[in-house]
Amino acid sequence: MANFKTLPGFREFYPEDYAKRKHIFQIWRQVARRFGFQEFDGPVLESLELFKAKSGDEIESQLFCFTDKGGREVSLRPEMTPTLARMVGAKANALKRPIKWFCLGDNFRYEKQQRGRLRCFSQLNVDILGEAGPSADIELISLLIDMLTSFGLTHEDFYIRLSDRNMWFLYLEALGNDEAQVTQILGIVDKWERLPEDAVREKLTGIVGDKGRSLWEAIDAFIKIDSLPALRKIFDGLNVEGESAERLQARLDDWSALLGGLELMGYKEFLQLDLSIVRGLAYYTGFVFEAFDRKGEFRALAGGGRYDTLVKKMGGPDMPAVGFGMGDVVLGELLADRGCMPQFVDTVDVYAVIGGEEERKAALADIGSLRQAGYSVDYAFKNQNFGKQFKAASAAGARLAVIYGSEELEKGVVKIRNMSDRSEEEVPRSHLAEAVRSLL
RNA sequence: GUGGCUGUAGCUCAGUUGGUUAGAGCAUCGGAUUGUGAUUCCGAGGGCCGCGGGUUCGAGUCCCGUCAGCCACCCCA
């Protein structure tokens, strides 16, 4: 026995834990459907190449991958996006736009586990494909906020940090950097807070030479921007002209639309413009966002953004896309911390309290009927005194106890006890189902 | 993958400078209690002290290794 432990990073769900996960899944599904998204799923096991194609060869060290019996290099899925991109790409011409899909399933990453990070976790993915404008981003971010508030969280518990890789490109190119340099610089921006300042300056100098010093100042100023007016202002100081000026203006208009739309929907207090978010891997192409708890005690709750070029890269047609992922692990920790987790495992409607062996016959007959009528009913397998049975009824969360005592059965009745207010009434056994229905 | 800390019952923890058969509370089960959810009382089960090796007359205790967990890195799709 003692030798058969769960593998590191894999969880077992005892009923109490399962109830918590089920609660999370229920809200995820409920809100996604409220927003008109359709649920899909793909294979848990895919070819290793699929994930390498999206993220590069280096990803292999973090994949739960192996060679199968047919000699195929395969991997448990670390995320849904490549599968989604393939599925959408394969039927792109037949699918109604916009494509609004979500998926809920287990994902696997071969990493050393820590709090908030396991090797197997459930993740919700929500994506909109086929819409390039900010309406899709608005829809997705409002869905994310609505989902978190549906768990009982408020703007005092979490917020969304909004950023934009496009804006970074416009800014850094206006400062005279080419595309390759910008990509490298964004890799440093991602680590801006975590690396010591000297190390950051050194890396910048490595990319742009003597301009490293002024570039550091410029990036530091850009990261500190926390409002749209401040963003406009910083570009005023740079003489952006011609085609770049047009792209800049269009992008600023997108920002107005995004923030304006989310404010109209009542989500202003959840939003924070924060350009320090660029998100690690380089396939994000526009708005990016992450949800965090306000106190900063936990890892990111959710993260996502635009990936307008990925579907094509994965073999499909040109297809703008935006999506986010949210795992059950960090969310579950935050919900528990804020008292937003359900207290009880599944409960029953009725608990039958049985006086003895003779009474059991009548009870079993009625229990069968009640169950067929759709009520959940539980009862003790062995004869026990009433006190124990009421205790068990209470522990089972029963709303009603139906009492089968010799006195009642002689009169052809049973006693129904309302477990919450302890009131009791006698009803004829022939009318039990109706009585239960009216009391529940 | 690297480093630090921690492993005793299902849970929370005691366990003396190394010394007899490893304890408590909670939880579980049984009983007091075959007509009502509380309280109380009595009792029971439950441990290769993470695992392996070493030192010693003797190891839960000291040493080494290993595994697992936590924390910080790396990474975070």
Side-chain angles (χ1 to χ4, degrees), chain A residues 179-249:
Chain A
E179 193 180 333
Q181 286 174 320
V182 172
T183 304
Q184 281 182 281
I185 293 167
L186 287 183
I188 297 167
V189 170
D190 192 37
K191 299 176 171 51
W192 201 261
E193 303 292 333
R194 282 170 285 160
L195 285 176
E197 189 178 320
D198 290 349
V200 171
R201 288 179 182 276
E202 198 174 310
K203 281 174 182 289
L204 289 178
T205 305
I207 297 170
V208 299
D210 337 329
K211 289 194 296 182
R213 177 178 293 267
S214 60
L215 182 57
W216 188 91
E217 309 292 345
I219 293 174
D220 194 53
F222 203 59
I223 283 180
K224 289 197 171 100
I225 288 172
D226 62 358
S227 71
L228 191 49
L231 185 59
R232 290 184 196 279
K233 197 171 164 202
I234 202 166
F235 277 101
D236 285 345
L238 305 168
N239 286 314
V240 184
E241 290 176 347
E243 189 256 352
S244 294
E246 280 172 32
R247 282 196 298 145
L248 174 60
Q249 190 51 53

Side-chain angles (χ1 to χ4, degrees), chain A residues 111-411:
Chain A
E111 295 184 289
K112 190 158 175 173
Q113 71 159 316
Q114 276 177 45
R115 187 169 70 121
R117 184 160 100 179
L118 303 171
R119 286 184 171 179
C120 173
F121 53 95
S122 302
Q123 185 165 296
L124 167 76
N125 276 79
V126 189
D127 295 88
I128 298 175
L129 298 97
E131 171 55 52
S135 331
D137 304 78
I138 292 170
E139 175 83 340
L140 209 56
I141 292 167
S142 58
L143 164 60
L144 171 56
I145 295 169
D146 198 329
M147 200 164 260
L148 291 171
T149 57
S150 293
F151 282 106
L153 300 169
T154 70
H155 71 279
E156 288 172 1
D157 297 310
F158 77 94
Y159 68 113
I160 311 291
R161 292 155 87 174
L162 287 172
S163 180
D164 182 4
R165 289 178 68 98
N166 253 354
M167 210 47 107
W168 273 103
F169 269 87
L170 288 163
Y171 183 66
L172 292 171
E173 284 173 0
L175 293 172
N177 301 288
D178 63 30
E179 193 180 333
Q181 286 174 320
V182 172
T183 304
Q184 281 182 281
I185 293 167
L186 287 183
I188 297 167
V189 170
D190 192 37
K191 299 176 171 51
W192 201 261
E193 303 292 333
R194 282 170 285 160
L195 285 176
E197 189 178 320
D198 290 349
V200 171
R201 288 179 182 276
E202 198 174 310
K203 281 174 182 289
L204 289 178
T205 305
I207 297 170
V208 299
D210 337 329
K211 289 194 296 182
R213 177 178 293 267
S214 60
L215 182 57
W216 188 91
E217 309 292 345
I219 293 174
D220 194 53
F222 203 59
I223 283 180
K224 289 197 171 100
I225 288 172
D226 62 358
S227 71
L228 191 49
L231 185 59
R232 290 184 196 279
K233 197 171 164 202
I234 202 166
F235 277 101
D236 285 345
L238 305 168
N239 286 314
V240 184
E241 290 176 347
E243 189 256 352
S244 294
E246 280 172 32
R247 282 196 298 145
L248 174 60
Q249 190 51 53
R251 198 53 183 160
L252 288 167
D253 290 345
D254 285 345
W255 266 96
S256 291
L258 179 74
L259 293 177
L262 289 169
E263 282 173 25
L264 280 173
M265 296 174 100
Y267 296 133
K268 183 174 183 178
E269 58 199 348
F270 293 94
L271 303 173
Q272 179 61 57
L273 198 164
D274 182 347
L275 295 166
S276 68
I277 303 286
V278 297
R279 295 187 66 76
L281 269 72
Y283 69 84
Y284 283 110
T285 55
F287 292 121
V288 290
F289 52 89
E290 294 185 346
F292 280 93
D293 72 289
R294 286 273 184 196
K295 291 184 191 164
E297 293 171 347
F298 300 92
R299 293 168 176 277
L301 289 161
R306 276 248 159 227
Y307 51 98
D308 286 343
T309 57
L310 188 68
V311 175
K312 188 172 189 183
K313 189 176 161 193
M314 301 300 295
D318 256 322
M319 175 81 81
V322 54
F324 75 82
M326 168 156 50
D328 71 316
V329 183
V330 178
L331 177 65
E333 286 169 356
L334 179 64
L335 293 178
D337 186 66
R338 301 297 147 88
C340 294
M341 268 300 186
Q343 298 292 310
F344 298 107
V345 190
D346 304 308
T347 58
V348 296
D349 300 321
V350 173
Y351 196 97
V353 173
I354 302 166
E357 214 45 55
E358 269 311 301
E359 293 77 19
R360 184 169 293 269
K361 292 172 186 163
L364 287 176
D366 288 357
I367 288 166
S369 312
L370 284 172
R371 284 175 171 168
Q372 281 192 9
Y375 300 106
S376 55
V377 186
D378 204 0
Y379 65 102
F381 292 150
K382 289 182 293 191
N383 291 334
Q384 289 176 322
N385 64 54
F386 278 35
K388 273 228 180 354
Q389 294 189 64
F390 279 108
K391 211 183 286 186
S394 180
R399 293 171 63 190
L400 301 176
V402 177
I403 301 158
Y404 290 86
S406 52
E407 297 162 21
E408 288 84 354
L409 290 177
E410 276 169 26
K411 293 190 284 178

Side-chain angles (χ1 to χ4, degrees), chain A residues 42-53:
Chain A
V44 174
L45 195 66
E46 293 267 18
S47 85
L48 178 60
E49 280 310 312
L50 177 71
F51 303 117
K52 283 190 182 174

Side-chain angles (χ1 to χ4, degrees), chain A residues 22-75:
Chain A
K22 194 165 74 175
H23 176 244
I24 289 174
F25 284 12
Q26 277 170 347
I27 302 266
W28 279 351
R29 287 204 164 95
Q30 185 185 314
V31 177
R33 294 177 64 161
R34 194 193 297 160
F35 277 69
F37 282 72
Q38 292 184 292
E39 188 166 2
F40 77 101
D41 202 0
V44 174
L45 195 66
E46 293 267 18
S47 85
L48 178 60
E49 280 310 312
L50 177 71
F51 303 117
K52 283 190 182 174
K54 185 202 158 207
S55 306
D57 290 348
E58 324 77 56
I59 201 70
E60 187 171 338
S61 65
Q62 282 153 61
L63 292 179
F64 213 109
C65 58
F66 55 94
T67 306
D68 77 4
K69 291 181 180 178
R72 283 173 284 260
E73 296 288 325
V74 297
S75 175

